[in-house]
Amino acid sequence: MTPTVSVVMATFRGARWLPAQLESLAAQTRLPDELVVSDDGSDDGTPELLAAFARRAPFAVRVLDGPRTGLADNFRHALRASSGRVIAWSDQDDVWLPAKLERCVDALAETGADLVHHAARVVDADAAPLGFNHPDPRQTVCLDPLHGDPWHVPSGFATVFRRELLEDLPHNPLDELMWQIRPNSHQTLRAMNHDHLVSLIAFARGRRCELAEELALYRQHGANVAGAPTVRGAAAWWGALSVGADQFAVRATTAREYGTWLESVGAGGGWYFERLARRWERRADAYREVDGAALSARVTRGLGVLARRATGSHDYASTRSGGMGAAALAKDALVTVIGAPR
């Protein structure tokens, strides 16, 4: 039986970009069963655009008054009002390619996944390609619970998931208490957004699939609430060199908070994130140990610590298995020579 599909959208002063996104929803080869929009008090004509679209859309459209307490709460408000068994997040300023919903719904069925996300072509304000993708999975792959990179957060606009991922938990993560105590994101150090929350639960208890197909245009127009990375390549590598013990300690705290919250909603995985926390604490301690030491002492201590960790603790295993990866090993070895960043 084909599941019902809800597109869940949050809007706020999106009149300039919204028409193209709405038209792309109406052009889907697999139409949604409903579009639920929560508007956070737009005063630029967005409500009128939505009302006009609702009158002619080939599917049901519901427009709600949003809570006016931020992006994440706005999406949560729309999600709670939706009824589909499959949920597709939608931003107000992108464009979906015609096969997006069909391909994602088929992928859920074919792979038994609970969540799928796909590649997207990054474009400018006029929808001209900028020459790179984000997200950018290079190959289609499916991952079981607690496999893959625990720090990877699939972009919401490129994510489709089963409602059971949330509803089958002992404590619904969208209920007020669970929502209010959700952990801070490692990306922003603020309470995690709607899409991060769902992807974290999927990591802990669901099967996830990454699709290499480009299924949307990800518009960058200078006023995005969240956008594609602006620092890439060599610049990103140089930026990583400035990260040191304090940031690693914060990452350890965040991992522990993820595990605690997952256990509180009944998703499990607390042991996994405790292991991650200890890994990052060891890295912070290693940086502090070599900080300010003479070169000979750094080499003696630092390389000895790295050798033990690389062979015994698997701290530098692939990020796909929860390790910090070969790049982290190279950086940590470099630190033993040039000193810890401040």
Side-chain angles (χ1 to χ4, degrees), residues 78-130:
L79 177 57
R80 286 169 64 89
S82 67
S83 61
R85 303 318 300 170
V86 169
I87 306 297
W89 299 123
S90 173
D91 291 343
Q92 64 186 5
D93 48 5
D94 301 319
V95 176
W96 288 7
L97 299 184
K100 172 188 162 102
L101 273 185
E102 182 178 10
R103 284 295 302 119
C104 289
V105 172
D106 285 350
L108 288 173
E110 292 165 2
T111 66
D114 299 285
L115 179 149
V116 300
H117 66 102
H118 58 77
R121 191 181 315 147
V122 181
V123 299
D124 66 13
D126 299 317
L130 293 178

Side-chain angles (χ1 to χ4, degrees), residues 12-339:
F12 180 65
R13 296 178 180 170
R16 180 177 176 185
W17 319 110
L18 187 58
Q21 175 66 322
L22 294 176
E23 292 307 318
S24 76
L25 297 183
Q28 291 294 297
T29 56
R30 195 288 187 205
L31 291 172
D33 295 281
E34 66 173 359
L35 166 64
V36 180
V37 186
S38 180
D39 182 73
D40 245 359
S42 298
D43 55 6
D44 65 343
T46 291
E48 291 77 11
L49 285 170
L50 291 168
F53 181 72
R55 288 192 291 270
R56 60 182 174 79
F59 42 78
V61 179
R62 299 173 60 198
V63 182
L64 315 171
D65 290 330
R68 307 191 187 193
T69 51
L71 175 74
D73 286 346
N74 204 18
F75 267 106
R76 171 184 176 244
H77 186 59
L79 177 57
R80 286 169 64 89
S82 67
S83 61
R85 303 318 300 170
V86 169
I87 306 297
W89 299 123
S90 173
D91 291 343
Q92 64 186 5
D93 48 5
D94 301 319
V95 176
W96 288 7
L97 299 184
K100 172 188 162 102
L101 273 185
E102 182 178 10
R103 284 295 302 119
C104 289
V105 172
D106 285 350
L108 288 173
E110 292 165 2
T111 66
D114 299 285
L115 179 149
V116 300
H117 66 102
H118 58 77
R121 191 181 315 147
V122 181
V123 299
D124 66 13
D126 299 317
L130 293 178
F132 66 100
N133 284 359
H134 182 78
D136 191 22
R138 301 303 176 91
Q139 58 183 355
T140 296
V141 62
C142 291
L143 299 165
D144 290 326
L146 301 177
H147 285 73
D149 183 355
W151 306 112
H152 173 59
V153 182
S155 298
F157 78 92
T159 297
V160 177
F161 64 95
R162 298 182 190 272
R163 193 180 205 93
E164 288 83 355
L165 189 63
L166 308 180
E167 290 187 344
D168 287 352
L169 291 169
H171 302 287
N172 192 321
L174 300 180
D175 289 346
E176 190 63 25
L177 175 60
M178 296 296 102
W179 178 256
Q180 293 302 328
I181 65 170
R182 69 192 190 279
N184 290 333
S185 166
H186 66 275
Q187 295 178 321
T188 65
L189 303 184
R190 298 189 299 271
M192 63 173 51
N193 279 337
H194 56 290
D195 48 355
H196 191 173
L197 179 143
V198 170
S199 69
L200 179 65
I201 292 171
F203 179 84
R205 68 183 299 260
R207 181 170 170 79
R208 298 109 57 221
C209 281
E210 302 173 352
L211 303 180
E213 301 168 63
E214 295 178 4
L215 296 174
L217 306 182
Y218 188 21
R219 194 193 302 268
Q220 302 297 288
H221 48 72
N224 304 75
V225 175
T230 56
V231 178
R232 300 184 301 277
W237 284 100
W238 281 112
L241 288 175
S242 67
V243 176
D246 291 345
Q247 291 87 350
F248 300 150
V250 170
R251 181 62 63 92
T253 297
T254 300
R256 199 162 276 126
E257 290 175 351
Y258 284 6
T260 298
W261 185 81
L262 286 167
E263 291 292 344
S264 74
V265 298
W271 65 269
Y272 177 95
F273 284 94
E274 176 61 27
R275 187 178 67 183
L276 280 188
R278 293 175 181 172
R279 177 168 289 155
W280 287 90
E281 285 172 340
R282 287 194 294 269
R283 195 177 188 195
D285 289 343
Y287 271 58
R288 294 189 181 106
E289 186 174 350
V290 300
D291 186 23
L295 175 59
S296 59
R298 289 203 304 270
V299 172
T300 301
R301 299 174 193 168
L303 294 184
V305 168
L306 290 178
R308 290 193 300 274
R309 292 173 64 197
T311 57
S313 64
H314 305 290
D315 286 357
Y316 298 106
S318 167
T319 55
R320 281 282 185 179
S321 59
M324 293 181 291
L329 176 59
K331 178 193 170 182
D332 292 355
L334 182 61
V335 163
T336 67
V337 176
I338 67 172

